Amino acid sequence: MADSDSNQIFVVNHAKHSKDKIAGCGKAGHLDGPLDVCRMNKPSSIALDPNTHYIYVADSGNHRIRRIDLSTGFMTTVCGSGRKGSRDGKSIKDQSLDSPFDVHFMHPCHLLISCADNSIRRLDLSTSELETVLVGS
């Protein structure tokens, strides 16, 4: 579960009535690194890659897509320079997203990203290439 108010990611177990933190220190910002100290700004959606078990986060306030690696305990940025916009490319420093609010995994190795500018973007996880696939009105 992405909690945009606390800037954290949780796993919720309804059977056990428990909620455990996976990532985020609770402070808004952008900081890659260990899951207990990393920072996000209004995370709004998560997607699981069933092949690698990475968890991808739509970090709306930072205009980025982040990756949680539970095996290493680290969060990293995989898409978006942090500048609001709609620029495609292969390099994170050239890519820009407009407040990504929804992310879905698509076989074999893509993320579909919904952005506030009514665009749908596709990130190829094997090449890091970001491309616009649909722009709405």
Side-chain angles (χ1 to χ4, degrees):
M1 169 183 108
D3 185 348
S4 62
D5 290 334
S6 73
N7 299 301
Q8 297 178 85
I9 306 298
F10 294 94
V11 63
V12 177
N13 184 327
H14 294 288
K16 294 183 179 179
H17 304 287
S18 65
K19 180 172 98 171
D20 297 308
K21 182 178 76 164
I22 294 176
C25 69
K27 296 178 182 177
H30 174 260
L31 180 64
D32 287 337
L35 296 178
D36 58 338
V37 298
C38 65
R39 291 186 181 196
M40 295 166 275
N41 187 3
K42 296 186 177 28
S44 58
S45 176
I46 59 173
L48 175 67
D49 178 340
N51 303 315
T52 62
H53 301 290
Y54 291 145
I55 300 168
Y56 292 92
V57 179
D59 191 356
S60 186
N62 282 320
H63 311 290
R64 292 178 161 109
I65 302 297
R66 315 283 290 283
R67 179 179 64 210
I68 296 171
D69 184 341
L70 295 174
S71 65
T72 63
F74 279 85
M75 174 176 273
T76 56
T77 299
V78 295
C79 181
S81 63
R83 292 183 311 270
K84 182 178 178 178
S86 59
R87 188 168 177 197
D88 294 341
K90 286 188 178 182
S91 171
I92 288 177
K93 66 182 174 88
D94 296 331
Q95 300 166 346
S96 61
L97 299 168
D98 182 0
S99 305
F101 63 87
D102 199 18
V103 63
H104 292 275
F105 181 80
M106 184 176 79
H107 287 285
C109 60
H110 294 92
L111 290 180
L112 285 181
I113 305 162
S114 299
C115 293
D117 62 356
N118 294 322
S119 68
I120 305 291
R121 317 289 288 285
R122 180 174 51 215
L123 178 66
D124 185 322
L125 296 171
S126 60
T127 66
S128 298
E129 184 169 2
L130 177 67
E131 67 177 325
T132 302
V133 293
L134 181 68
V135 178
S137 56

